[in-house]
Amino acid sequence: TFVVYLIVSILIGYLTRVALPGAAPFAKVFQVAGTAGILAYSFSFIPNAVWFGSYKRTIVASFLDGIFFGLVTGAIFAWRWPH
């Protein structure tokens, strides 16, 4: 799990650097990195959950966890991004 999160974070950092090549305000970095994080953490598991018949409650809980992790990732990138 740690390796997956590390790779996802590297790719989020790459995407954010491409979208915002220089210094940027906190809100803009949070917007780009948070959106990428939500996409990565909330939507990646859905095909397997549907295919293997996960409970709807599990799918919703995992989706909400993904939103939380995406927002935390966006906040950390925005906090550490040069201003």
Side-chain angles (χ1 to χ4, degrees):
T1 302
F2 175 76
V3 173
V4 170
Y5 289 155
L6 181 64
I7 292 170
V8 168
S9 293
I10 290 169
L11 292 173
I12 290 171
Y14 168 75
L15 178 67
T16 306
R17 176 55 68 191
V18 169
L20 306 170
F26 182 93
K28 195 64 174 173
V29 177
F30 181 75
Q31 178 186 12
V32 173
T35 301
I38 290 171
L39 287 171
Y41 297 128
S42 290
F43 292 98
S44 61
F45 75 92
I46 291 177
N48 281 338
V50 171
W51 184 256
F52 292 111
S54 295
Y55 293 110
K56 289 179 181 163
R57 182 177 179 184
T58 303
I59 294 172
V60 170
S62 296
F63 187 78
L64 293 174
D65 283 346
I67 291 173
F68 174 75
F69 288 131
L71 294 176
V72 168
T73 301
I76 291 171
F77 271 98
W79 170 53
R80 301 299 300 156
W81 205 262
H83 296 285

